[in-house]
Structure formats: structure tokens, C-alpha cells
Amino acid sequence: MTRTQYFVAASVDGFIADADGRLDWLLQFNDVDGLTAHYEAFLAGVGALAMGAATYEFLLATGHPWPYAGLPTWIFTHRARPGVEGADLRFTDDDVGAVHEAMVRAAAGKHVWLVGGGNLVAQFARRGLLDELLLTVVPVVLGSGAPLLPAAVAGPLDLTDVTRFPRGLVELRYALPGAARRA
């Protein structure tokens, strides 16, 4: 069954980017044993993606080829954005609730990955459309920055798995309240 997932890394104090919107604090861990294989296994189960405009612009600014070739990707934005040759991009300013069903259909039995940022994911959470949080806690303290999820979620999350990585990284996998009802 298709799940809508937020697969993300955050500092110990709950930030997904530093106060300047940078990820240097995270990128220093790219060489951690097992992390790449874990990411690739996750990505193999993804059939569609969603991201906000800032995340999209961050990816474009890296200068790297589009990392999600072949995956339909919704970019939530209120302004015109440049496209990427060969990428299946769908720019929208519609409400997440209006777009979610199309994302699930496009995922064709695989999962929908909410790439980020936190404000976009918060919109899905508020609408009860977020099923799972896969949170890699990174052993750094930023003090400020972009919050992991700037929205309240009613009820406790259900911890369903824990994966440890070298250098102090830990992935916590949570089901959100109501997720079993939608599965």
C-alpha cells in the first residue's frame, strides 16, 4: 500500500537546515558506512515525490544532474520556476489535499516521498496525509535554522523501527496517528 513518507535528516535539536539554509553540517556525514545503500533502498520504493520551491532551487543550485530521473515530482510553488531537461516535473500552487491523490496514483503502488521542506510537509501533516516519518538524527546541534516539522501532530507517534549507523547517526521510523486507518 502506498504510504506518504517524510524521509529526512535533522540535527539533534530538530533543524533540517542551518540558519543560513545550508547543509554543510549534514554533508560531512555523506561517507558514513551503509548510509548510501540505505538511501538507495529507500529510493527504490519511491514512486512519486513532492518538494517545496526552496528545496527545488537548492537542488538546481548544486549543478548536479537531476537526481530523481524517471520519478514524477510535484514542485509546490507560487512563482514560475525553470524546468530540468528530462525530469518529470509538475509545478503547482494547488492545495496539497487537491494534489495528493494524483501523487498516489502516479506512485503506482510505491511510496510518495515528501522531500521537503518542513513547511510543505507540515501542510500534509495538518491535512492528515503524512503516514510515516523516517528521521535520521545527526549528532550535531545547530541552535537555530529550518525546523523539522513546524506543525503539531495530534497524538503520539508510533516508533516502528530504529536503524543505527556509524558516527552516531540513528534513523527513527515513526508511523503517524491515523496511518493504519489509511493503509
Side-chain angles (χ1 to χ4, degrees):
M1 192 68 179
T2 298
R3 291 188 305 268
T4 301
Q5 302 172 309
Y6 185 25
F7 179 84
V8 64
S11 63
V12 169
D13 54 346
F15 297 104
I16 60 174
D18 69 17
D20 296 322
R22 298 177 51 104
L23 298 178
D24 298 346
W25 61 273
L26 174 61
L27 300 178
Q28 67 182 315
F29 292 93
N30 277 356
D31 64 347
V32 168
D33 284 343
L35 211 53
T36 298
H38 186 75
Y39 169 76
E40 289 171 354
F42 166 79
L43 192 58
V46 172
L49 304 121
M51 66 183 68
T55 300
Y56 179 66
E57 288 176 359
F58 174 84
L59 289 170
L60 293 181
T62 67
H64 297 297
W66 183 247
Y68 309 117
L71 291 172
T73 304
W74 278 259
I75 313 297
F76 288 82
T77 181
H78 295 289
R79 296 180 298 170
R81 306 281 180 199
V84 175
E85 188 173 333
D88 183 357
L89 303 177
R90 300 155 191 218
F91 296 94
T92 183
D93 63 358
D94 290 339
D95 179 81
V96 298
V99 178
H100 185 255
E101 188 176 320
M103 294 169 57
V104 169
R105 276 195 311 273
K110 290 187 172 187
H111 304 302
V112 174
W113 177 19
L114 305 179
V115 180
N119 288 325
L120 175 65
V121 176
Q123 293 175 49
F124 281 87
R126 283 188 205 104
R127 298 290 302 265
L129 300 172
L130 178 59
D131 298 310
E132 206 166 31
L133 170 62
L134 290 81
L135 170 62
T136 299
V137 179
V138 180
V140 298
V141 176
L142 297 176
S144 65
L148 169 68
L149 186 59
V153 175
L157 307 183
D158 179 21
L159 181 65
T160 60
D161 198 15
V162 176
T163 305
R164 293 179 59 119
F165 296 97
R167 296 182 51 199
L169 280 76
V170 179
E171 181 187 80
L172 306 171
R173 186 179 200 127
Y174 292 101
L176 272 74
R181 191 175 63 244
R182 290 188 299 275

